[in-house]
Amino acid sequence: MNHLSEDDFTLLLENEIASMPKHLIAHFNMCKSCKAIFDEQRLVHTTLVKIKPQTAPLMLTRKILIKLTAMEKTFKSNVKTDWLFLIAITVLFFVASWYTYFGSNDILTAGYFNEINEYTSQFNRPDLNSILIVPFTWLTDFSVKTIYLFMGIISLAMYWLFDNHLNGSIPTKKS
Amino acid sequence: METEKQIIERLKNCDLQAMEELMKIYQDYVFTLAYQIVKSYTIAEEITQDVFIKVFKKIDTYQARSKFSTWLYTITYRTGLNYLEKKKITFNMTEIENSQNGDGDSLNFFETVKSGYLEDDPDIKKILWDAIDTIPQMQGLVITLYYLQQFSVNDIAEMLNIPQNTIKINLFRGRKTLKELLLKKYKQEELL
């Protein structure tokens, strides 16, 4: 004789007796062993149905709220920092682009293509040199490597900026 | 009276008061569930904090396709498991931990419960939770989810990502173990 399975007892407890095959119901009515198991299960079941949760520590809500408030503040200050950072990056990027475009000949002269420079310097734009390059003559010390470094810093900064938002470490404020 | 849905909408706008209201409703349940996973009050408290912070950060991802509680307990379960994984502790599926052998207290536990459950009686609650705490983790977890939040076997299977049959077996064995534990602690002759 096959006794009822653990699954069958769960069905019985959930009052799904109607969904059980007739031979199982017949067995349950006849078998004292299964009836005893069912009584045992029902006893615990009726007790557990009314169970209440354990009480969380008293200060838990307060602790969480303090953390969340701190997060909000960090978020707000981060937003300010992000804006300053973005402006700084834009300015740097603008200067870098400006110099790369208008001062390319001067950069190339920094020990790399002297011959070319000698040739191209004859065709330098005096107006642009006086207007755009001369005020930034200190920049003429820059080498190509410096420009790469510049771009590297910008890339890192952009990465930092977007990473902070994309990985969700700063909650996005919708309202 | 504000519905849960409205509270969640407010929470999506980063309303901390909404968060406080949700915590009032759920923190005991989250704490209880976390405790069933890690079996330590201090760590369960930490996990509860982490869970609510995650809820605050990720509430935008809650789509309301499932019940909020299902979403919340899934986060709790995963956070608990992650903790155990980090600490390289194996989630106890089968082994029965040392049961607390009682001192033969004369309280007829089940009869007291049957004759009218003293819902607010801290002693009854403590006895039950002490017993649940000593059964294997998976059984305790399934019993907590099934009885405390009245999730169906199907819901729990989805939440824990394990087959329904495993849930049923754990429920059955959990009840059996609980009865044995409670009988050990309280006089058997008075129960039957």
Side-chain angles (χ1 to χ4, degrees):
Chain A
M1 182 167 66
N2 289 329
H3 290 292
L4 297 185
S5 68
E6 292 162 339
D7 196 354
D8 297 330
F9 284 113
T10 303
L11 284 175
L12 273 170
L13 283 173
E14 288 181 338
N15 298 318
E16 292 179 40
I17 199 158
S19 62
M20 286 180 75
K22 281 181 183 174
H23 70 275
L24 286 181
I25 300 168
H27 170 83
F28 178 70
N29 290 330
M30 283 165 54
C31 177
K32 282 182 183 176
S33 163
C34 285
K35 181 79 169 62
I37 294 172
F38 177 70
D39 287 342
E40 176 190 78
Q41 289 279 315
R42 191 170 51 182
L43 187 67
V44 185
H45 177 80
T46 48
T47 305
L48 288 173
V49 160
K50 299 163 188 172
I51 198 167
K52 295 281 175 188
Q54 285 167 303
T55 312
L58 277 175
M59 301 296 282
L60 187 63
T61 311
R62 197 172 152 71
K63 280 181 189 171
I64 298 169
L65 284 174
I66 288 169
K67 279 190 180 177
L68 291 176
T69 312
M71 263 176 58
E72 261 219 324
K73 278 180 189 168
T74 316
F75 166 68
K76 280 171 188 167
S77 66
N78 273 344
V79 169
K80 277 183 197 166
T81 318
D82 289 354
W83 275 110
L84 286 173
F85 215 78
L86 198 63
I87 290 165
I89 286 166
T90 313
V91 170
L92 286 173
F93 193 77
F94 178 71
V95 170
S97 315
W98 187 18
Y99 190 75
T100 310
Y101 182 72
F102 290 111
S104 56
N105 287 340
D106 298 275
I107 292 164
L108 295 174
T109 57
Y112 291 93
F113 302 102
N114 285 331
E115 288 180 13
I116 296 170
N117 179 57
E118 278 171 24
Y119 174 75
T120 52
S121 62
Q122 297 169 23
F123 303 100
N124 260 352
R125 292 152 290 193
D127 54 334
L128 284 175
N129 270 338
S130 57
I131 296 165
L132 301 166
I133 307 299
V134 174
F136 295 98
T137 44
W138 58 275
L139 283 173
T140 54
D141 293 335
F142 275 14
S143 66
V144 174
K145 282 180 186 172
T146 319
I147 294 296
Y148 282 148
L149 185 69
F150 225 164
M151 302 305 280
I153 292 168
I154 289 167
S155 310
L156 279 174
M158 296 300 280
Y159 171 77
W160 175 85
L161 191 70
F162 287 112
D163 186 50
N164 266 345
H165 287 287
L166 292 176
N167 73 10
S169 63
I170 300 171
T172 314
K173 211 162 178 77
K174 278 191 166 177
S175 58
Chain B
M1 183 76 184
E2 203 176 18
T3 63
E4 189 177 270
K5 201 179 169 186
Q6 287 168 324
I7 298 175
I8 291 166
E9 280 309 311
R10 277 171 50 214
L11 186 60
K12 284 185 177 180
N13 289 325
C14 290
D15 183 342
L16 279 181
Q17 210 184 333
M19 191 68 207
E20 194 176 351
E21 284 166 35
L22 269 184
M23 280 192 283
K24 268 184 197 165
I25 303 169
Y26 287 110
Q27 71 169 12
D28 285 352
Y29 293 95
V30 171
F31 176 77
T32 305
L33 188 60
Y35 183 76
Q36 286 310 311
I37 299 166
V38 295
K39 303 281 185 192
S40 152
Y41 282 102
T42 321
I43 299 163
E45 188 183 344
E46 275 176 36
I47 289 175
T48 311
Q49 288 184 35
D50 282 355
V51 167
F52 282 110
I53 288 168
K54 276 183 191 169
V55 166
F56 186 71
K57 281 184 187 174
K58 309 275 181 188
I59 190 70
D60 285 341
T61 62
Y62 170 62
Q63 300 291 326
R65 280 189 214 117
S66 60
K67 283 194 286 185
F68 176 74
S69 54
T70 311
W71 186 70
L72 179 67
Y73 298 141
T74 308
I75 294 177
T76 311
Y77 176 63
R78 286 182 190 160
T79 310
L81 280 195
N82 282 345
Y83 174 84
L84 295 178
E85 217 167 78
K86 271 183 198 167
K87 299 283 172 190
K88 295 184 177 170
I89 302 167
T90 317
F91 188 64
N92 183 3
M93 299 281 277
T94 50
E95 189 189 336
I96 296 178
E97 291 175 358
N98 297 330
S99 59
Q100 294 170 349
N101 287 320
D103 52 5
D105 195 317
S106 61
L107 173 68
N108 184 338
F109 183 74
F110 289 114
E111 282 303 322
T112 309
V113 171
K114 267 201 283 187
S115 64
Y117 191 73
L118 307 172
E119 288 181 358
D120 298 321
D121 187 336
D123 290 337
I124 300 280
K125 200 166 97 172
K126 191 177 179 312
I127 289 164
L128 271 175
W129 281 115
D130 280 351
I132 293 171
D133 290 346
T134 55
I135 65 174
Q137 273 169 309
M138 185 49 96
Q139 291 175 17
L141 181 67
V142 169
I143 280 181
T144 305
L145 287 168
Y146 188 80
Y147 288 106
L148 201 59
Q149 271 296 323
Q150 290 162 3
F151 281 119
S152 68
V153 169
N154 190 28
D155 284 342
I156 301 170
E158 271 181 31
M159 203 185 294
L160 308 186
N161 199 23
I162 47 179
Q164 285 192 32
N165 267 349
T166 313
I167 304 293
K168 285 176 187 171
I169 289 167
N170 274 293
L171 268 176
F172 180 87
R173 292 184 186 164
R175 282 189 291 251
K176 194 169 187 289
T177 322
L178 270 180
K179 197 203 166 202
E180 283 163 9
L181 280 171
L182 291 166
L183 285 179
K184 262 186 197 171
K185 192 157 185 166
Y186 303 100
K187 282 185 178 176
Q188 188 165 5
E189 63 268 24
E190 289 180 24
L191 299 176
L192 304 171

